[in-house]
Amino acid sequence: MKIWDMHCHLPSPQLTGESLLEQAEQLLEIAGRVGISKLCLFLEVGKSLGPFSDDEIVRVLERYYDRLLGFCWCDLQKTQQSVDLLQKWVGDGPMVGLKLGGFSGVCSRPEYAPVFEKAIDLKAVIFQHTWLKVTGNLPHESTPQNVVDLARRYPDYPFICGHSGGDWEVGIRTVADSPNVSIGIGGFYPTSGVVEFGVRLLGPQRIVYGSDAPGRSFSSQLGKVLGADLPDEQKQAILYDNFARLMQPISSAKGWTA
């Protein structure tokens, strides 16, 4: 099957490379062993990280333009900075998406609208980390309920609810009635039945494979899909087709071919 992994992180202390290029090459080599042809990297830009600097990010994405996709990691609380970063890295640069993490601000707050409207204008793929914690969420962490509220304001634009909300049984149910919200299935334990449950409630077209590597292994996260009791065409939709469809608008805007 054709597989794209839309949820990876660099740099990482779990990789041995001393530069971003070395780490990217190591991650690509590991991914290749399990049949993954393209990786999406969530990258923090605008930081002085020596060998992990903005210039190095550009070099890596340009060198492996056919195997690596970049998402710009923004902080909604720094609203104007995020708008500017999206223009620089997605509008005028090599990246294709907006990544929002667990410390990036509660996405449904109306004062963050300029960031989402900029991303939508650029046709960026939007990935929002979500997690439901029994001990209480982080102060600026979004939940699937927040993504539903956000998506309701932009009903014609797709959003990815990352980690399926962590507590996936609640998260999947939460987004079920929001047709423009897909779930990302990376970054939590590969529990048997999670993907089948998602297909039952959302259909196979609203589930997107990602691993959260290198914090999670490719093999354990692929097991969620490959080990699911589903027909091959539904597995292929989850492993490649759905993310490729989400990529079409920005690929067209940049003049790329899949």
Side-chain angles (χ1 to χ4, degrees):
M1 292 186 180
K2 190 168 186 178
I3 307 171
W4 287 4
D5 189 320
M6 63 78 51
H7 188 160
C8 298
H9 293 268
L10 286 182
S12 171
Q14 290 150 313
L15 296 169
T16 58
E18 295 184 359
S19 70
L20 192 68
L21 178 61
E22 290 173 350
Q23 290 202 356
E25 290 175 339
Q26 185 180 4
L27 198 61
L28 283 169
E29 192 275 328
I30 297 168
R33 297 178 201 165
V34 290
I36 299 172
S37 59
K38 189 170 290 193
L39 304 178
C40 195
L41 302 179
F42 295 163
L43 297 159
E44 294 189 68
V45 295
K47 295 187 175 183
S48 298
L49 298 173
F52 307 115
S53 66
D54 286 356
D55 289 344
E56 182 72 357
I57 288 172
V58 172
R59 282 194 290 271
V60 168
L61 292 178
E62 289 181 345
R63 179 164 182 174
Y64 289 102
Y65 69 92
D66 57 338
R67 296 195 65 196
L68 295 175
L69 300 167
F71 272 42
C72 182
W73 195 326
C74 292
D75 184 344
L76 294 170
Q77 300 160 95
K78 300 175 181 177
T79 306
Q80 186 56 52
Q81 181 189 73
S82 294
V83 170
D84 294 342
L85 287 173
L86 284 170
Q87 182 61 50
K88 176 180 177 180
W89 287 94
V90 179
D92 303 325
M95 292 191 177
V96 299
L98 166 64
K99 148 71 177 179
L100 297 165
F103 299 91
S104 299
V106 176
C107 63
S108 58
R109 292 178 61 169
E111 60 264 38
Y112 300 147
V115 179
F116 293 106
E117 289 167 5
K118 184 65 173 180
I120 291 169
D121 181 60
L122 295 173
K123 299 179 172 58
V125 182
I126 299 175
F127 178 96
Q128 173 65 64
H129 162 104
T130 66
W131 213 279
L132 294 160
K133 295 183 171 72
V134 295
T135 53
N137 275 36
L138 301 170
H140 303 288
E141 186 173 28
S142 294
T143 66
Q145 291 89 337
N146 297 131
V147 175
V148 168
D149 290 343
L150 171 67
R152 193 176 291 124
R153 297 204 295 269
Y154 306 101
D156 298 323
Y157 204 82
F159 296 85
I160 300 173
C161 178
H163 307 290
S164 306
D167 184 343
W168 52 269
E169 291 177 287
V170 177
I172 292 171
R173 287 188 176 98
T174 299
V175 306
D177 293 330
S178 299
N180 59 325
V181 178
S182 298
I183 60 164
I185 58 172
F188 56 92
Y189 292 122
T191 308
S192 177
V194 57
V195 173
E196 293 94 324
F197 183 75
V199 169
R200 237 179 6 255
L201 269 67
L202 310 180
Q205 288 75 35
R206 289 172 58 196
I207 302 172
V208 184
Y209 166 72
S211 63
D212 207 1
R216 299 281 182 172
S217 69
F218 291 120
S219 57
S220 69
Q221 302 300 298
L222 279 172
K224 293 176 181 175
V225 183
L226 297 177
D229 185 16
L230 297 171
D232 284 350
E233 59 267 23
Q234 292 187 359
K235 294 179 181 179
Q236 183 64 96
I238 294 165
L239 293 171
Y240 165 73
D241 296 342
N242 297 337
F243 183 55
R245 184 180 66 253
L246 293 173
M247 279 288 299
Q248 284 176 355
I250 192 160
S251 295
S252 297
K254 289 179 175 286
W256 296 353
T257 56

